[in-house]
Amino acid sequence: MSAAGATPAWIPRKRRTAELGLLLLAIVIGIGSYAAVGLGIDGTVPAGIYTVGAVYAVVALGAHVAVRRFAGYADPVLLPLVVCLNGIGLVMIYRIDLGLDSIGSPYGPFAQGQLRWTILGVLMFVAVLVLIRDHRRLQQYTYTFGLAAIALLVLPILPLIGSAKRGAQIWIQLGPFSFQPAEAAKIALAIFFAGYLVAKRDALALAGRRILGVDLPRGRDLGPILLGWLISVGILVFQRDLGSSLLFFGLFVVMLYVATERPGWLVVGTGLFAVGAWFGYLAFGHVRARFDAWLDPWADPDQNYQIITALYGLGHGGLLGRGWGQGSPELTPFGFSDFILSSIGEELGLAGLMAVIVIYGLIVERGLRIALTCRDAFGKLLAVGLSVSFALQVFVVAGGVTRLIPLTGLTAPFLAAGGSSIIMNWIIVALLLRISDQTRRPAPEATPFTGDEATQVVKLS
């Protein structure tokens, strides 16, 4: 076929204008919700709406400019979804601040601090896009990230800096600042698992005995999953944190399954986690109290006041909610962090809560879509790991609040108050956008040979 008749190569569009349109809609939702809170509580628009709205818009548009400049071919839907969630979270925390102030609570305010953490999170988002131009370079530091993850998980149990809150030893305290290292360890472990499984997946994919139609792994290949299980049990033993234990072990098992395509790993992983959870129930009163509160919270109303008020709040919200400023989410302890989903359910009802969960689902779907289209194995596994960690965290939080599973203490990404969570989740989004940009970016065109170069090639051959 002549050059004139050749079919031109398909070149993906950048879709940054579509992203900007969706982003403006997300900004309108955030600022409109902020105004609705003021109107719902005292009938007036909040006095600082212009300042807060301007800061929120500048931060969101700044993130868009960074994507346009440094990741022009990245997914156009992910950033607007995250900005929308972040805005709803800020408004909900502000709403609870007003409620706490009205009942004379010594806690709060939290909204201003959360806005500062959001700004810092977006700055880290931009830094990742600027500094990491090719996600495949992270594979060179596979074991470095693995060691960093272990160090981060050990920090909360060290004397002097380790700090226990609400029965779980998952914090470090440095002067006036506290930090939850498990949030950073989640990213480091996803990078380590992706690099390790790319190198070892051929051996781990070999099948052993077949039981009930499922090919179980060979006994000699159980080392990695047993090590992951021991780390998970170690978190449960030393930090008494069932949520992080479930999150890390579930992350490893799902990535192992995706890398090897062997469902036997899911069977073995589920069995090992069930054994670990049963051991935690028998050995630790804190874990046992969580299970008891899950099975029958009304058996001890004083001990389980938090989950009971959250359930009543969800019931009070009904299908369409009480409206911004019309509920009483401040009555639920930690309604601005651990139980922010119940606060949203009371103010916006089941419809609003399902809309938030749909946004979460869309974020996970875009992450898995990035994994499906990624051309390299490391990027594919890393995108799966980051998306699965996000999905597991949302499931654990939503399941705990609605009594589908026991409470775990994890927080809803982008919604709940907390600097560690908001910063690390913005970094996760930056990594997903970097993988997406690398995947959708057109390959550089090959330079055709000149006559002299072609002759030289013939001579060398």
Side-chain angles (χ1 to χ4, degrees):
M1 183 181 293
S2 63
T7 303
W10 177 76
I11 299 177
R13 293 181 294 170
K14 292 185 176 182
R15 304 298 299 274
R16 300 277 65 85
T17 303
E19 179 185 80
L20 179 60
L22 293 173
L23 194 62
L24 292 175
L25 177 60
I27 293 172
V28 169
I29 291 174
I31 298 176
S33 299
Y34 183 65
V37 167
L39 292 172
I41 290 180
D42 54 23
T44 60
V45 175
I49 188 169
Y50 295 110
T51 302
V52 174
V55 171
Y56 177 58
V58 167
V59 170
L61 293 174
H64 166 73
V65 171
V67 174
R68 183 182 287 269
R69 172 65 179 82
F70 299 106
Y73 288 91
D75 185 277
V77 181
L78 203 53
L79 180 61
L81 291 172
V82 169
V83 169
C84 183
L85 270 184
N86 206 157
I88 293 173
L90 286 168
V91 172
M92 191 71 249
I93 295 168
Y94 169 72
R95 158 69 186 96
I96 294 175
D97 281 347
L98 296 179
L100 291 173
D101 183 66
S102 67
I103 62 175
S105 173
Y107 298 102
F110 301 100
Q112 290 183 355
Q114 185 70 0
L115 181 58
R116 287 193 291 267
W117 286 120
T118 297
I119 294 172
L120 183 56
V122 172
L123 291 176
M124 293 299 296
F125 167 88
V126 175
V128 170
L129 291 180
V130 173
L131 297 177
I132 303 176
R133 297 301 183 93
D134 189 342
H135 65 273
R136 292 169 294 188
R137 293 181 64 99
L138 297 174
Q139 189 176 0
Q140 303 173 9
Y141 306 100
T142 294
Y143 292 98
T144 302
F145 279 105
L147 292 174
I150 294 174
L152 288 168
L153 293 175
V154 169
L155 284 177
I157 62 176
L158 295 179
L160 300 180
I161 63 173
S163 175
K165 296 182 180 181
R166 300 190 291 280
Q169 188 86 16
I170 58 176
W171 297 84
I172 61 173
Q173 191 77 33
L174 300 174
F177 300 102
S178 60
F179 178 70
Q180 195 171 348
E183 293 288 348
K186 176 175 62 179
I187 301 175
L189 282 174
I191 297 173
F192 167 70
F193 290 155
Y196 174 81
L197 292 174
V198 165
K200 304 294 183 181
R201 63 178 175 176
D202 291 338
L204 296 173
L206 296 176
R209 293 185 178 182
R210 187 177 183 85
I211 299 177
L212 299 177
V214 177
D215 292 324
L216 297 178
R218 300 184 304 173
R220 73 187 71 173
D221 298 328
L222 291 177
I225 197 169
L226 288 175
L227 179 61
W229 179 72
L230 288 174
I231 294 174
S232 176
V233 171
I235 294 172
L236 191 60
V237 170
F238 295 106
Q239 300 185 6
R240 300 185 296 279
D241 183 19
L242 183 63
S244 296
S245 177
L246 170 61
L247 177 61
F248 295 144
F249 189 64
L251 170 65
F252 180 54
V253 171
V254 172
M255 291 183 69
L256 187 56
Y257 165 67
V258 172
T260 62
E261 300 180 10
R262 292 290 182 185
W265 288 113
L266 295 178
V267 176
V268 173
T270 302
L272 287 174
F273 183 79
V275 171
W278 179 247
F279 166 76
Y281 177 80
L282 296 177
F284 305 108
H286 173 67
V287 176
R288 192 159 51 249
R290 293 283 177 97
F291 273 89
D292 292 341
W294 168 51
L295 296 173
D296 187 9
W298 286 272
D300 189 350
D302 294 332
Q303 176 71 25
N304 304 321
Y305 175 78
Q306 186 181 35
I307 182 64
I308 290 174
T309 53
L311 292 173
Y312 277 123
L314 289 171
H316 188 224
L319 181 61
L320 299 177
R322 312 307 299 178
W324 281 116
Q326 300 298 304
S328 302
E330 68 276 3
L331 298 181
T332 301
F334 300 101
F336 53 87
S337 57
D338 295 10
F339 280 78
I340 196 168
L341 288 181
S342 70
S343 301
I344 291 174
E346 182 173 359
E347 298 273 294
L348 303 182
L350 177 63
L353 185 58
M354 289 305 300
V356 168
I357 292 176
V358 166
I359 294 175
Y360 276 131
L362 288 173
I363 292 174
V364 175
E365 183 272 335
R366 302 308 293 191
L368 294 178
R369 179 189 291 266
I370 291 169
L372 285 172
T373 57
C374 186
R375 294 184 289 265
D376 65 283
F378 173 76
K380 189 181 294 290
L381 279 176
L382 180 56
V384 167
L386 296 174
S387 303
V388 166
S389 69
F390 195 90
L392 282 174
Q393 187 163 344
V394 172
F395 168 75
V396 167
V397 173
V401 169
T402 57
R403 278 189 65 214
L404 178 64
I405 59 175
L407 286 171
T408 60
L410 295 179
T411 56
F414 295 109
L415 289 178
S420 309
S421 176
I422 197 75
I423 291 174
M424 294 306 156
N425 281 302
W426 271 106
I427 291 176
I428 287 176
V429 173
L431 289 173
L432 287 174
L433 289 178
R434 172 52 65 212
I435 298 171
S436 174
D437 174 69
Q438 192 73 27
T439 300
R440 298 180 71 248
R441 184 176 294 275
E445 296 183 2
T447 304
F449 284 133
T450 62
D452 294 338
E453 290 171 338
T455 304
Q456 185 68 19
V457 169
V458 171
K459 290 181 179 179
L460 290 174
S461 61

mmCIF file of all heavy atoms in Angstrom, residues 143-183:
data_model
loop_
_atom_site.group_PDB
_atom_site.id
_atom_site.type_symbol
_atom_site.label_atom_id
_atom_site.label_comp_id
_atom_site.label_asym_id
_atom_site.label_seq_id
_atom_site.Cartn_x
_atom_site.Cartn_y
_atom_site.Cartn_z
ATOM 1 N N TYR A 143 12.726 -3.433 46.618
ATOM 2 C CA TYR A 143 13.036 -3.869 47.980
ATOM 3 C C TYR A 143 13.273 -2.687 48.920
ATOM 4 O O TYR A 143 13.075 -2.812 50.128
ATOM 5 C CB TYR A 143 14.246 -4.811 47.956
ATOM 6 C CG TYR A 143 13.916 -6.114 47.272
ATOM 7 C CD1 TYR A 143 14.245 -6.326 45.932
ATOM 8 C CD2 TYR A 143 13.231 -7.114 47.949
ATOM 9 C CE1 TYR A 143 13.921 -7.518 45.301
ATOM 10 C CE2 TYR A 143 12.899 -8.309 47.328
ATOM 11 C CZ TYR A 143 13.239 -8.505 45.998
ATOM 12 O OH TYR A 143 12.903 -9.675 45.378
ATOM 13 N N THR A 144 13.652 -1.547 48.370
ATOM 14 C CA THR A 144 13.756 -0.342 49.200
ATOM 15 C C THR A 144 12.383 0.056 49.737
ATOM 16 O O THR A 144 12.232 0.389 50.925
ATOM 17 C CB THR A 144 14.355 0.819 48.388
ATOM 18 O OG1 THR A 144 15.639 0.427 47.891
ATOM 19 C CG2 THR A 144 14.501 2.061 49.246
ATOM 20 N N PHE A 145 11.379 -0.003 48.877
ATOM 21 C CA PHE A 145 10.023 0.307 49.326
ATOM 22 C C PHE A 145 9.515 -0.747 50.308
ATOM 23 O O PHE A 145 8.765 -0.431 51.239
ATOM 24 C CB PHE A 145 9.072 0.417 48.131
ATOM 25 C CG PHE A 145 9.128 1.747 47.435
ATOM 26 C CD1 PHE A 145 9.758 1.887 46.205
ATOM 27 C CD2 PHE A 145 8.555 2.857 48.011
ATOM 28 C CE1 PHE A 145 9.813 3.109 45.567
ATOM 29 C CE2 PHE A 145 8.605 4.096 47.377
ATOM 30 C CZ PHE A 145 9.238 4.222 46.154
ATOM 31 N N GLY A 146 9.921 -2.007 50.111
ATOM 32 C CA GLY A 146 9.529 -3.040 51.054
ATOM 33 C C GLY A 146 10.092 -2.792 52.440
ATOM 34 O O GLY A 146 9.373 -2.898 53.449
ATOM 35 N N LEU A 147 11.368 -2.433 52.512
ATOM 36 C CA LEU A 147 11.979 -2.121 53.804
ATOM 37 C C LEU A 147 11.361 -0.866 54.419
ATOM 38 O O LEU A 147 11.147 -0.793 55.637
ATOM 39 C CB LEU A 147 13.492 -1.932 53.632
ATOM 40 C CG LEU A 147 14.296 -3.190 53.273
ATOM 41 C CD1 LEU A 147 15.746 -2.827 52.987
ATOM 42 C CD2 LEU A 147 14.221 -4.208 54.416
ATOM 43 N N ALA A 148 11.071 0.120 53.576
ATOM 44 C CA ALA A 148 10.432 1.350 54.082
ATOM 45 C C ALA A 148 9.061 1.046 54.673
ATOM 46 O O ALA A 148 8.685 1.596 55.718
ATOM 47 C CB ALA A 148 10.311 2.372 52.961
ATOM 48 N N ALA A 149 8.310 0.143 54.032
ATOM 49 C CA ALA A 149 6.989 -0.218 54.546
ATOM 50 C C ALA A 149 7.096 -0.889 55.910
ATOM 51 O O ALA A 149 6.321 -0.585 56.831
ATOM 52 C CB ALA A 149 6.278 -1.139 53.556
ATOM 53 N N ILE A 150 8.052 -1.801 56.045
ATOM 54 C CA ILE A 150 8.237 -2.469 57.335
ATOM 55 C C ILE A 150 8.629 -1.462 58.411
ATOM 56 O O ILE A 150 8.120 -1.497 59.540
ATOM 57 C CB ILE A 150 9.301 -3.577 57.206
ATOM 58 C CG1 ILE A 150 8.780 -4.694 56.290
ATOM 59 C CG2 ILE A 150 9.661 -4.145 58.575
ATOM 60 C CD1 ILE A 150 9.801 -5.764 55.989
ATOM 61 N N ALA A 151 9.528 -0.534 58.065
ATOM 62 C CA ALA A 151 9.942 0.486 59.039
ATOM 63 C C ALA A 151 8.751 1.350 59.459
ATOM 64 O O ALA A 151 8.588 1.670 60.645
ATOM 65 C CB ALA A 151 11.045 1.351 58.434
ATOM 66 N N LEU A 152 7.909 1.711 58.511
ATOM 67 C CA LEU A 152 6.744 2.534 58.836
ATOM 68 C C LEU A 152 5.772 1.792 59.741
ATOM 69 O O LEU A 152 5.169 2.386 60.645
ATOM 70 C CB LEU A 152 6.040 2.954 57.546
ATOM 71 C CG LEU A 152 6.757 4.010 56.700
ATOM 72 C CD1 LEU A 152 6.122 4.116 55.320
ATOM 73 C CD2 LEU A 152 6.722 5.373 57.389
ATOM 74 N N LEU A 153 5.624 0.482 59.524
ATOM 75 C CA LEU A 153 4.706 -0.292 60.352
ATOM 76 C C LEU A 153 5.243 -0.504 61.763
ATOM 77 O O LEU A 153 4.465 -0.694 62.705
ATOM 78 C CB LEU A 153 4.432 -1.645 59.686
ATOM 79 C CG LEU A 153 3.648 -1.600 58.366
ATOM 80 C CD1 LEU A 153 3.538 -2.976 57.755
ATOM 81 C CD2 LEU A 153 2.258 -1.009 58.596
ATOM 82 N N VAL A 154 6.564 -0.460 61.907
ATOM 83 C CA VAL A 154 7.182 -0.667 63.217
ATOM 84 C C VAL A 154 7.135 0.609 64.062
ATOM 85 O O VAL A 154 7.081 0.550 65.297
ATOM 86 C CB VAL A 154 8.628 -1.172 63.052
ATOM 87 C CG1 VAL A 154 9.386 -1.151 64.374
ATOM 88 C CG2 VAL A 154 8.629 -2.584 62.483
ATOM 89 N N LEU A 155 7.149 1.765 63.423
ATOM 90 C CA LEU A 155 7.250 3.037 64.143
ATOM 91 C C LEU A 155 6.226 3.206 65.272
ATOM 92 O O LEU A 155 6.575 3.660 66.368
ATOM 93 C CB LEU A 155 7.129 4.207 63.156
ATOM 94 C CG LEU A 155 8.352 4.502 62.289
ATOM 95 C CD1 LEU A 155 8.040 5.645 61.321
ATOM 96 C CD2 LEU A 155 9.552 4.862 63.156
ATOM 97 N N PRO A 156 4.939 2.853 65.074
ATOM 98 C CA PRO A 156 3.968 3.113 66.149
ATOM 99 C C PRO A 156 4.205 2.310 67.430
ATOM 100 O O PRO A 156 3.666 2.681 68.484
ATOM 101 C CB PRO A 156 2.623 2.722 65.506
ATOM 102 C CG PRO A 156 2.846 2.841 64.049
ATOM 103 C CD PRO A 156 4.259 2.419 63.840
ATOM 104 N N ILE A 157 4.967 1.217 67.375
ATOM 105 C CA ILE A 157 5.179 0.425 68.586
ATOM 106 C C ILE A 157 6.496 0.772 69.266
ATOM 107 O O ILE A 157 6.847 0.161 70.278
ATOM 108 C CB ILE A 157 5.133 -1.088 68.270
ATOM 109 C CG1 ILE A 157 6.246 -1.479 67.297
ATOM 110 C CG2 ILE A 157 3.777 -1.471 67.720
ATOM 111 C CD1 ILE A 157 6.313 -2.975 67.026
ATOM 112 N N LEU A 158 7.224 1.763 68.732
ATOM 113 C CA LEU A 158 8.468 2.180 69.361
ATOM 114 C C LEU A 158 8.160 3.080 70.569
ATOM 115 O O LEU A 158 7.195 3.836 70.552
ATOM 116 C CB LEU A 158 9.341 2.949 68.364
ATOM 117 C CG LEU A 158 9.867 2.157 67.167
ATOM 118 C CD1 LEU A 158 10.687 3.062 66.256
ATOM 119 C CD2 LEU A 158 10.704 0.967 67.613
ATOM 120 N N PRO A 159 8.969 2.991 71.603
ATOM 121 C CA PRO A 159 8.752 3.886 72.755
ATOM 122 C C PRO A 159 9.028 5.340 72.370
ATOM 123 O O PRO A 159 9.706 5.616 71.381
ATOM 124 C CB PRO A 159 9.762 3.370 73.795
ATOM 125 C CG PRO A 159 10.797 2.632 73.001
ATOM 126 C CD PRO A 159 10.099 2.068 71.805
ATOM 127 N N LEU A 160 8.496 6.238 73.142
ATOM 128 C CA LEU A 160 8.660 7.687 73.009
ATOM 129 C C LEU A 160 7.816 8.282 71.887
ATOM 130 O O LEU A 160 7.155 9.305 72.064
ATOM 131 C CB LEU A 160 10.134 8.078 72.811
ATOM 132 C CG LEU A 160 11.095 7.672 73.935
ATOM 133 C CD1 LEU A 160 12.509 8.117 73.601
ATOM 134 C CD2 LEU A 160 10.644 8.254 75.271
ATOM 135 N N ILE A 161 7.827 7.670 70.701
ATOM 136 C CA ILE A 161 7.073 8.263 69.589
ATOM 137 C C ILE A 161 5.761 7.536 69.326
ATOM 138 O O ILE A 161 4.843 8.108 68.748
ATOM 139 C CB ILE A 161 7.910 8.313 68.297
ATOM 140 C CG1 ILE A 161 8.282 6.902 67.835
ATOM 141 C CG2 ILE A 161 9.150 9.162 68.487
ATOM 142 C CD1 ILE A 161 8.950 6.883 66.478
ATOM 143 N N GLY A 162 5.645 6.255 69.706
ATOM 144 C CA GLY A 162 4.418 5.508 69.492
ATOM 145 C C GLY A 162 3.293 6.035 70.359
ATOM 146 O O GLY A 162 3.498 6.428 71.507
ATOM 147 N N SER A 163 2.078 6.049 69.813
ATOM 148 C CA SER A 163 0.934 6.595 70.538
ATOM 149 C C SER A 163 -0.288 5.731 70.268
ATOM 150 O O SER A 163 -0.547 5.337 69.127
ATOM 151 C CB SER A 163 0.663 8.042 70.095
ATOM 152 O OG SER A 163 -0.495 8.551 70.705
ATOM 153 N N ALA A 164 -1.029 5.417 71.337
ATOM 154 C CA ALA A 164 -2.251 4.624 71.226
ATOM 155 C C ALA A 164 -3.468 5.530 71.340
ATOM 156 O O ALA A 164 -3.530 6.407 72.197
ATOM 157 C CB ALA A 164 -2.296 3.555 72.314
ATOM 158 N N LYS A 165 -4.434 5.318 70.431
ATOM 159 C CA LYS A 165 -5.683 6.072 70.470
ATOM 160 C C LYS A 165 -6.836 5.113 70.241
ATOM 161 O O LYS A 165 -6.825 4.330 69.297
ATOM 162 C CB LYS A 165 -5.709 7.169 69.395
ATOM 163 C CG LYS A 165 -4.653 8.253 69.582
ATOM 164 C CD LYS A 165 -4.776 9.328 68.518
ATOM 165 C CE LYS A 165 -3.719 10.413 68.704
ATOM 166 N NZ LYS A 165 -3.831 11.490 67.681
ATOM 167 N N ARG A 166 -7.809 5.173 71.122
ATOM 168 C CA ARG A 166 -9.012 4.342 71.036
ATOM 169 C C ARG A 166 -8.667 2.855 70.922
ATOM 170 O O ARG A 166 -9.265 2.115 70.147
ATOM 171 C CB ARG A 166 -9.894 4.808 69.873
ATOM 172 C CG ARG A 166 -10.336 6.250 70.028
ATOM 173 C CD ARG A 166 -11.395 6.623 69.016
ATOM 174 N NE ARG A 166 -10.925 6.688 67.654
ATOM 175 C CZ ARG A 166 -10.270 7.718 67.131
ATOM 176 N NH1 ARG A 166 -9.988 8.764 67.891
ATOM 177 N NH2 ARG A 166 -9.899 7.715 65.877
ATOM 178 N N GLY A 167 -7.622 2.451 71.666
ATOM 179 C CA GLY A 167 -7.281 1.041 71.759
ATOM 180 C C GLY A 167 -6.315 0.530 70.711
ATOM 181 O O GLY A 167 -5.852 -0.603 70.803
ATOM 182 N N ALA A 168 -5.995 1.316 69.690
ATOM 183 C CA ALA A 168 -5.112 0.869 68.614
ATOM 184 C C ALA A 168 -3.802 1.652 68.650
ATOM 185 O O ALA A 168 -3.802 2.879 68.764
ATOM 186 C CB ALA A 168 -5.786 1.033 67.250
ATOM 187 N N GLN A 169 -2.685 0.930 68.532
ATOM 188 C CA GLN A 169 -1.355 1.537 68.569
ATOM 189 C C GLN A 169 -0.911 1.785 67.129
ATOM 190 O O GLN A 169 -0.035 1.100 66.592
ATOM 191 C CB GLN A 169 -0.372 0.590 69.282
ATOM 192 C CG GLN A 169 1.005 1.171 69.556
ATOM 193 C CD GLN A 169 1.086 1.946 70.851
ATOM 194 O OE1 GLN A 169 0.216 1.829 71.689
ATOM 195 N NE2 GLN A 169 2.136 2.720 71.014
ATOM 196 N N ILE A 170 -1.490 2.796 66.481
ATOM 197 C CA ILE A 170 -1.235 3.012 65.051
ATOM 198 C C ILE A 170 -0.746 4.426 64.760
ATOM 199 O O ILE A 170 -0.666 4.812 63.591
ATOM 200 C CB ILE A 170 -2.502 2.722 64.214
ATOM 201 C CG1 ILE A 170 -3.661 3.598 64.677
ATOM 202 C CG2 ILE A 170 -2.862 1.251 64.288
ATOM 203 C CD1 ILE A 170 -4.924 3.452 63.844
ATOM 204 N N TRP A 171 -0.396 5.198 65.789
ATOM 205 C CA TRP A 171 -0.003 6.584 65.601
ATOM 206 C C TRP A 171 1.416 6.801 66.106
ATOM 207 O O TRP A 171 1.895 6.092 66.982
ATOM 208 C CB TRP A 171 -0.940 7.529 66.356
ATOM 209 C CG TRP A 171 -2.353 7.490 65.883
ATOM 210 C CD1 TRP A 171 -3.318 6.613 66.263
ATOM 211 C CD2 TRP A 171 -2.954 8.352 64.920
ATOM 212 N NE1 TRP A 171 -4.492 6.880 65.605
ATOM 213 C CE2 TRP A 171 -4.298 7.946 64.781
ATOM 214 C CE3 TRP A 171 -2.491 9.438 64.173
ATOM 215 C CZ2 TRP A 171 -5.172 8.581 63.918
ATOM 216 C CZ3 TRP A 171 -3.370 10.079 63.322
ATOM 217 C CH2 TRP A 171 -4.689 9.650 63.191
ATOM 218 N N ILE A 172 2.078 7.806 65.543
ATOM 219 C CA ILE A 172 3.309 8.322 66.122
ATOM 220 C C ILE A 172 3.088 9.796 66.444
ATOM 221 O O ILE A 172 2.380 10.499 65.715
ATOM 222 C CB ILE A 172 4.529 8.137 65.191
ATOM 223 C CG1 ILE A 172 4.333 8.874 63.864
ATOM 224 C CG2 ILE A 172 4.838 6.671 64.958
ATOM 225 C CD1 ILE A 172 5.570 8.874 62.977
ATOM 226 N N GLN A 173 3.680 10.243 67.546
ATOM 227 C CA GLN A 173 3.503 11.609 68.014
ATOM 228 C C GLN A 173 4.844 12.319 67.997
ATOM 229 O O GLN A 173 5.791 11.892 68.646
ATOM 230 C CB GLN A 173 2.924 11.615 69.430
ATOM 231 C CG GLN A 173 2.457 12.965 69.917
ATOM 232 C CD GLN A 173 1.107 13.364 69.331
ATOM 233 O OE1 GLN A 173 0.262 12.497 69.086
ATOM 234 N NE2 GLN A 173 0.892 14.655 69.114
ATOM 235 N N LEU A 174 4.931 13.382 67.214
ATOM 236 C CA LEU A 174 6.152 14.190 67.133
ATOM 237 C C LEU A 174 5.784 15.618 67.527
ATOM 238 O O LEU A 174 5.345 16.413 66.698
ATOM 239 C CB LEU A 174 6.747 14.150 65.720
ATOM 240 C CG LEU A 174 7.158 12.772 65.196
ATOM 241 C CD1 LEU A 174 7.593 12.851 63.740
ATOM 242 C CD2 LEU A 174 8.283 12.190 66.045
ATOM 243 N N GLY A 175 5.965 15.915 68.811
ATOM 244 C CA GLY A 175 5.570 17.232 69.305
ATOM 245 C C GLY A 175 4.075 17.403 69.186
ATOM 246 O O GLY A 175 3.296 16.531 69.587
ATOM 247 N N PRO A 176 3.613 18.505 68.592
ATOM 248 C CA PRO A 176 2.167 18.717 68.460
ATOM 249 C C PRO A 176 1.541 17.952 67.297
ATOM 250 O O PRO A 176 0.325 17.959 67.136
ATOM 251 C CB PRO A 176 2.065 20.230 68.218
ATOM 252 C CG PRO A 176 3.355 20.588 67.544
ATOM 253 C CD PRO A 176 4.396 19.671 68.131
ATOM 254 N N PHE A 177 2.364 17.305 66.480
ATOM 255 C CA PHE A 177 1.864 16.635 65.281
ATOM 256 C C PHE A 177 1.781 15.132 65.501
ATOM 257 O O PHE A 177 2.667 14.528 66.109
ATOM 258 C CB PHE A 177 2.756 16.938 64.076
ATOM 259 C CG PHE A 177 2.860 18.391 63.738
ATOM 260 C CD1 PHE A 177 3.981 19.124 64.107
ATOM 261 C CD2 PHE A 177 1.848 19.034 63.054
ATOM 262 C CE1 PHE A 177 4.087 20.465 63.797
ATOM 263 C CE2 PHE A 177 1.935 20.379 62.743
ATOM 264 C CZ PHE A 177 3.055 21.093 63.118
ATOM 265 N N SER A 178 0.709 14.534 64.983
ATOM 266 C CA SER A 178 0.564 13.082 64.992
ATOM 267 C C SER A 178 0.433 12.600 63.551
ATOM 268 O O SER A 178 -0.075 13.315 62.684
ATOM 269 C CB SER A 178 -0.657 12.661 65.814
ATOM 270 O OG SER A 178 -1.838 13.221 65.284
ATOM 271 N N PHE A 179 0.887 11.381 63.320
ATOM 272 C CA PHE A 179 0.927 10.842 61.954
ATOM 273 C C PHE A 179 0.616 9.358 62.020
ATOM 274 O O PHE A 179 1.004 8.663 62.960
ATOM 275 C CB PHE A 179 2.307 11.083 61.338
ATOM 276 C CG PHE A 179 2.467 10.518 59.954
ATOM 277 C CD1 PHE A 179 1.796 11.086 58.886
ATOM 278 C CD2 PHE A 179 3.281 9.422 59.718
ATOM 279 C CE1 PHE A 179 1.934 10.566 57.602
ATOM 280 C CE2 PHE A 179 3.423 8.899 58.444
ATOM 281 C CZ PHE A 179 2.748 9.476 57.386
ATOM 282 N N GLN A 180 -0.108 8.878 61.033
ATOM 283 C CA GLN A 180 -0.462 7.464 60.954
ATOM 284 C C GLN A 180 0.387 6.810 59.859
ATOM 285 O O GLN A 180 0.067 6.894 58.681
ATOM 286 C CB GLN A 180 -1.954 7.311 60.643
ATOM 287 C CG GLN A 180 -2.500 5.936 60.887
ATOM 288 C CD GLN A 180 -4.008 5.879 60.779
ATOM 289 O OE1 GLN A 180 -4.671 6.911 60.731
ATOM 290 N NE2 GLN A 180 -4.569 4.687 60.739
ATOM 291 N N PRO A 181 1.489 6.136 60.231
ATOM 292 C CA PRO A 181 2.417 5.602 59.223
ATOM 293 C C PRO A 181 1.795 4.562 58.304
ATOM 294 O O PRO A 181 2.290 4.342 57.202
ATOM 295 C CB PRO A 181 3.542 4.992 60.068
ATOM 296 C CG PRO A 181 3.429 5.632 61.403
ATOM 297 C CD PRO A 181 1.970 5.913 61.595
ATOM 298 N N ALA A 182 0.737 3.894 58.757
ATOM 299 C CA ALA A 182 0.130 2.859 57.921
ATOM 300 C C ALA A 182 -0.380 3.424 56.603
ATOM 301 O O ALA A 182 -0.424 2.698 55.595
ATOM 302 C CB ALA A 182 -1.023 2.190 58.682
ATOM 303 N N GLU A 183 -0.772 4.696 56.574
ATOM 304 C CA GLU A 183 -1.245 5.297 55.320
ATOM 305 C C GLU A 183 -0.117 5.352 54.290
ATOM 306 O O GLU A 183 -0.332 5.086 53.104
ATOM 307 C CB GLU A 183 -1.785 6.701 55.592
ATOM 308 C CG GLU A 183 -3.060 6.740 56.434
ATOM 309 C CD GLU A 183 -4.272 6.264 55.662
ATOM 310 O OE1 GLU A 183 -4.187 6.112 54.430
ATOM 311 O OE2 GLU A 183 -5.312 6.034 56.308
#
